Amino acid sequence: MPAYHHGNLRATLLAAAERSLRRDGADRLSLRDLAREAGVSHAAPRRHFPDRQALLDALAESGFARLDQELRAALAAAGEEFGPRLHATAVAYLRFATEDSALLELMFTRKHREGADRLVAAAAEPLGLMPGLIAQGQAQGVLEPGDPQRVGIVLFATLQGIATLVNGGLMAPELLDGIVEIAVDQFIRGSRRR
Amino acid sequence: MPAYHHGNLRATLLAAAERSLRRDGADRLSLRDLAREAGVSHAAPRRHFPDRQALLDALAESGFARLDQELRAALAAAGEEFGPRLHATAVAYLRFATEDSALLELMFTRKHREGADRLVAAAAEPLGLMPGLIAQGQAQGVLEPGDPQRVGIVLFATLQGIATLVNGGLMAPELLDGIVEIAVDQFIRGSRRR
DNA sequence: CATCTTTGTTGTCAGTGCCTACTTTGTTTT
DNA sequence: AAAACAAAGTAGGCACTGACAACAAAGATG
């Protein structure tokens, strides 16, 4: 570790920020704190993140990347059948979404600012998985035909909403498994081939 | 208007806070700003709100009250039939939820703090409307029997999730009406009497 | 009228994000 | 190899914030 040039300050800051976010939420995350923790001066982070929001955006972006990974892993582990695949995806998403509520919030609420193109692009990746799943269900003849995009949005929204309720303390986490079951069943029944 | 005693500072502050929240979001809301706007000293708000979070909580609470009003109004205006009633509720909720995204966020994300009992109680009011609706659908023979509570959660979650997607810029607002349609149809089909 | 409570005021403190100017280090060019 | 340059740190300052304490005015209460 060199004295002056830290070497990988950016990564160090991001790691510390991730911990801070999870523990205390985005509001309490302080750049100066992170700098202290990394052992650099208070202005050093500025070289890597033009402002606080940029740091938060980077966290959100890496969140989407991790979400994408986890969803793909869940899908890969599930079999070929549509029902189980859908169920596995739902469970994986909710695990991710309820495990770090501050991160989820960061990922899904753009705070009154324009052009977070990079973020939207990162979000498109995992969100694009849904329509794919739907299309597969349609191809297998389980679901009725229709625009996979629109149907996928509704499905995803349901999962996202459940996560919001749990994270907001409006629904007990113990109920999660049961609710997911209901949601998935209801979705399949609601759009299966007539 | 008396010179020293403002008379209704609390209400004045809340009104200004509501505007500020809607325009700039909770992050940028500044107590000192509100005080300036109300023409009082920077420490005056402290007499009415012990700290910043208390002010935000009050905003969220009044948000739930207004939501409750609007949902009830929508239900009252709808007829007796279950389908239209459900649709009206969904539309009313999404109108509320997408009209002031910062408020919605405030209402549904408790920021790492315990015992916001008052808030949870305020939330229970409008959220309790859902199971009631479901029960009615069951009584009318449109929906299959089952725990209205659990089914209601899924329904509400779907709406909440749609709002999150719109507010987060991940779904175009123009698609809203169409998506609501799909969501409601799918819900009814998914849990109607077999 | 005297007293007490409520609701203001002023002043202070630690902390923050952002900015500018300067310094050190590593890289590239001549 | 020396010189020029870019990248990545440091130091200090600024305006601003929320919270706190001590005090003052106004109103309510005995």
Side-chain angles (χ1 to χ4, degrees):
Chain A
M1 258 180 258
Y4 210 93
H5 275 35
H6 184 288
N8 52 351
L9 220 205
R10 192 190 150 92
T12 304
L13 288 174
L14 279 176
E18 209 177 314
R19 281 194 302 273
S20 168
L21 176 68
R22 172 181 266 113
R23 195 176 53 242
D24 301 319
D27 284 359
R28 293 186 196 225
L29 184 147
S30 148
L31 291 182
R32 287 170 110 109
D33 248 359
L34 299 181
R36 273 187 285 270
E37 196 176 328
V40 295
S41 77
H42 66 266
R46 196 163 156 62
R47 294 291 161 201
H48 301 274
F49 306 98
D51 62 13
R52 205 182 104 105
Q53 191 57 52
L55 195 253
L56 294 179
D57 284 352
L59 284 180
E61 197 182 331
S62 88
F64 278 115
R66 187 158 61 85
L67 172 59
D68 191 51
Q69 270 188 323
E70 293 187 11
L71 289 187
R72 286 181 196 281
L75 272 174
E80 290 294 316
E81 230 179 319
F82 175 70
R85 282 176 79 78
L86 176 56
H87 189 264
T89 308
V91 168
Y93 181 75
L94 279 170
R95 182 189 314 279
F96 176 91
T98 57
E99 184 256 348
D100 186 343
S101 65
L103 176 61
L104 192 77
E105 194 187 326
L106 217 53
M107 289 166 61
F108 284 99
T109 72
R110 82 176 154 193
K111 309 233 166 180
H112 291 255
R113 92 203 106 99
E114 311 306 316
D117 312 326
R118 225 181 129 75
L119 248 187
V120 174
E125 201 81 17
L127 267 55
L129 254 57
M130 280 300 169
L133 230 188
I134 304 291
Q136 187 203 9
Q138 292 173 343
Q140 287 188 11
V142 182
L143 302 184
E144 64 183 349
D147 180 6
Q149 183 75 37
R150 297 181 148 236
V151 183
I153 288 184
V154 175
L155 173 58
F156 181 79
T158 304
L159 301 180
Q160 170 68 27
I162 292 173
T164 300
L165 290 181
V166 171
N167 289 342
L170 264 37
M171 178 185 139
E174 301 86 60
L175 298 179
L176 241 176
D177 291 343
I179 296 285
V180 174
E181 214 75 30
I182 294 181
V184 170
D185 283 3
Q186 216 171 48
F187 172 78
I188 294 182
R189 281 184 58 197
S191 48
R192 76 175 147 198
R193 191 157 203 158
R194 325 189 187 219
Chain B
M1 256 180 257
Y4 207 94
H5 275 35
H6 184 287
N8 52 352
L9 221 205
R10 191 191 151 92
T12 303
L13 288 174
L14 279 176
E18 210 177 314
R19 281 194 301 273
S20 168
L21 176 68
R22 172 180 267 113
R23 195 176 51 243
D24 300 320
D27 284 0
R28 290 184 200 227
L29 185 146
S30 147
L31 291 181
R32 286 171 110 109
D33 248 357
L34 299 181
R36 272 187 286 269
E37 195 174 329
V40 295
S41 77
H42 67 264
R46 197 164 156 62
R47 294 290 163 201
H48 301 274
F49 305 97
D51 62 12
R52 205 182 104 105
Q53 190 57 52
L55 194 253
L56 295 179
D57 284 352
L59 284 180
E61 198 182 329
S62 87
F64 278 116
R66 187 158 62 85
L67 171 60
D68 191 50
Q69 272 187 322
E70 295 187 10
L71 289 186
R72 284 181 197 280
L75 271 174
E80 290 294 317
E81 230 177 318
F82 175 70
R85 282 176 79 79
L86 176 56
H87 188 264
T89 307
V91 169
Y93 182 74
L94 279 171
R95 183 191 313 278
F96 176 91
T98 57
E99 183 257 349
D100 187 343
S101 68
L103 175 61
L104 193 78
E105 192 187 327
L106 216 51
M107 290 165 62
F108 285 98
T109 71
R110 84 179 151 195
K111 308 230 165 182
H112 290 256
R113 95 201 104 99
E114 310 306 317
D117 310 327
R118 226 180 128 75
L119 248 185
V120 174
E125 201 81 18
L127 267 54
L129 255 57
M130 279 303 167
L133 230 188
I134 303 291
Q136 186 201 10
Q138 293 172 343
Q140 287 187 12
V142 182
L143 301 185
E144 64 184 349
D147 180 6
Q149 184 74 40
R150 297 180 151 238
V151 183
I153 288 185
V154 174
L155 173 58
F156 181 79
T158 304
L159 301 180
Q160 170 66 28
I162 292 174
T164 300
L165 290 182
V166 171
N167 289 343
L170 264 38
M171 179 184 137
E174 302 86 60
L175 297 180
L176 241 178
D177 290 344
I179 295 286
V180 174
E181 214 76 31
I182 294 182
V184 170
D185 283 3
Q186 215 172 50
F187 172 78
I188 293 182
R189 279 184 59 195
S191 49
R192 76 174 148 200
R193 190 159 202 154
R194 326 187 188 221

